Amino acid sequence: MSEQNLATTEHLNNGVEMPRLGLGVWKTDNASAKQSVSEAIQHGYRMIDTAKQYGNETGVGEGIREGLEKSGLNRKDLFVTTKVFNGDQGYQSTLDAINGSLKRLQLTYIDLLLIRWPVDGKYIDTWKAMEQLYRQGKVRAIGISNFDVEHMQNLLDHADITPVVNQMEFHPLQQQKDVLKFAQHAGIQIEAWSPLGGGEVLDNPTLQKIADAHNKSVAQVIIRWDLQRNIITIPKSSHLERIQQNADVFDFELTDAEVETVNNLDEGKSSLWYDDFAWHNMQGEGIPDTVDTWYDSPEDYDK
Ligand code: A2P
């Protein structure tokens, strides 16, 4: 049995250690984010993932402060990820935007800064600014999110610094195997967002069978599968009981056959809102109404 816990890290390609299991806070408002983040830290979580676009950096910052105080930990014990908002992309705007994130999060540095989305025509300039922020020490590591193979190749062609992480939708029904293969070859760590498929994978009968065999929940089986696949993962929950449950995954191990069974569930299926549109070409066309925040003015998020 592996001796791992919430503090176990993955070695990123720039030498920084990143916890392998953290808390996601997408679709969480400020008040709820404060509570979940604080409770998660007190329960042993060491990595928190947010984004300006989620509109909850302020709540996350308050939760970090409270969680560290109550658990007697220091800032350096925690690994905090945030992301460059689509509307801030570009060179100077990315350099400027970091100050807002730092202020809202009440931090002096970010552990990992990601490009939230590969906005066409802008993401190379955004990356150049992130390289600058990295050299200045405002961020300990820089990475990308939602980049497909073409985006990654283009970025590598222009970058001085290889991204440490590509955070992408990754769960049993959506495994993006081509992206995974390319990233691994390039030394880019994959991190799963919506590892539980936004909750929609949790009633899968195959997964339920594996869960029953280990006396665990389907959520725990998926998180364990991520860990055994060396995928960094950030399940989101606003409920303490689930936050605790999602961290209780270090006392069992999936067999190789079980890992393979889950690998074979891949349908290339996004369970989320962007299913039917070209999400990789975020120029603003064809964006469904449900994503009405994508191109809001950055000022709306500077509060
Ligand atoms: P909630 O926040 O109400 O607990 P993902 O991380 O894939 O986006 O999935 C998050 C969704 O899964 C949320 O709706 C969350 O609900 C739910 N969820 C998180 N952990 C669990 C769990 N252990 N059991 C059941 N549902 C969970």
Side-chain angles (χ1 to χ4, degrees):
M1 185 65 59
S2 49
E3 290 174 35
Q4 298 187 339
N5 55 47
L6 285 166
T8 305
T9 56
E10 198 70 51
H11 193 72
L12 303 179
N13 69 24
N14 70 341
V16 165
E17 298 289 331
M18 176 171 182
R20 303 177 70 198
L21 171 54
L23 180 76
V25 295
W26 187 31
K27 295 186 189 159
T28 309
D29 65 19
N30 274 307
S32 179
K34 177 182 178 184
Q35 189 179 345
S36 331
V37 168
S38 173
E39 286 173 345
I41 294 170
Q42 291 174 65
H43 188 70
Y45 280 74
R46 294 292 173 264
M47 189 254 283
I48 310 292
D49 180 282
T50 183
K52 174 173 173 177
Q53 203 132 2
Y54 304 168
N56 61 21
E57 282 180 323
T58 300
V60 169
E62 289 168 359
I64 288 173
R65 176 168 282 236
E66 184 180 285
L68 290 181
E69 258 170 35
K70 289 195 173 169
S71 53
L73 294 168
N74 298 314
R75 162 69 181 99
K76 67 174 170 40
D77 299 319
L78 211 59
F79 190 104
V80 181
T81 301
T82 194
K83 311 183 189 88
V84 180
F85 175 65
N86 288 357
D88 285 331
Q89 289 208 33
Y91 187 79
Q92 191 57 45
S93 40
T94 297
L95 291 181
D96 295 342
I98 190 77
N99 298 319
S101 286
L102 288 170
K103 191 165 162 224
R104 286 185 294 277
L105 289 164
Q106 304 183 45
L107 300 177
T108 56
Y109 67 89
I110 304 292
D111 292 278
L112 174 61
L113 182 68
L114 302 178
I115 298 186
R116 173 75 181 89
W117 211 274
V119 175
D120 279 354
K122 292 203 168 171
Y123 65 85
I124 299 294
D125 288 341
T126 304
W127 187 253
K128 292 288 163 196
M130 290 165 69
E131 291 180 332
Q132 184 64 13
L133 294 171
Y134 177 67
R135 291 189 190 102
Q136 291 170 349
K138 290 191 176 176
V139 299
R140 293 178 64 226
I142 52 177
I144 52 185
S145 187
N146 300 303
F147 275 50
D148 63 17
V149 170
E150 209 177 307
H151 292 124
M152 281 193 286
Q153 185 61 65
N154 189 37
L155 186 68
L156 291 176
D157 288 346
H158 292 87
D160 292 330
I161 299 173
T162 300
V164 293
V165 157
N166 185 10
Q167 185 185 111
M168 64 178 193
E169 184 184 4
F170 182 88
H171 52 75
L173 302 185
Q174 174 57 292
Q175 299 182 29
Q176 305 201 53
K177 288 176 178 164
D178 57 335
V179 182
L180 186 70
K181 194 171 162 197
F182 183 97
Q184 283 172 340
H185 194 252
I188 300 170
Q189 170 69 43
I190 291 292
E191 178 177 11
W193 64 253
S194 270
L196 310 177
E200 290 178 29
V201 202
L202 298 176
D203 58 0
N204 181 287
T206 305
L207 293 171
Q208 187 61 58
K209 214 171 147 196
I210 298 174
D212 291 345
H214 291 277
N215 204 16
K216 288 284 182 182
S217 71
V218 169
Q220 289 170 315
V221 165
I222 297 173
I223 295 163
R224 186 70 218 176
W225 171 70
D226 285 337
L227 296 176
Q228 290 185 215
R229 294 280 315 269
N230 294 324
I231 306 282
I232 291 179
T233 187
I234 44 168
K236 173 257 164 184
S237 178
S238 304
H239 295 95
L240 178 58
E241 184 213 328
R242 287 174 176 172
I243 289 173
Q244 290 176 335
Q245 183 198 120
N246 294 346
D248 181 18
V249 292
F250 299 104
D251 62 350
F252 77 112
E253 201 148 11
L254 301 176
T255 64
D256 290 348
E258 287 168 336
V259 169
E260 198 52 34
T261 299
V262 183
N263 293 348
N264 290 333
L265 291 176
D266 186 22
E267 296 175 1
K269 178 177 184 259
S270 290
S271 57
L272 300 160
W273 43 262
Y274 59 71
D275 250 4
D276 292 328
F277 78 109
W279 59 268
H280 55 277
N281 183 18
M282 292 294 288
Q283 293 279 29
E285 302 106 26
I287 297 175
D289 291 344
T290 46
V291 201
D292 56 2
T293 58
W294 282 113
Y295 281 84
D296 280 358
S297 133
E299 289 73 41
D300 292 339
Y301 292 81
D302 276 332
K303 294 161 194 151

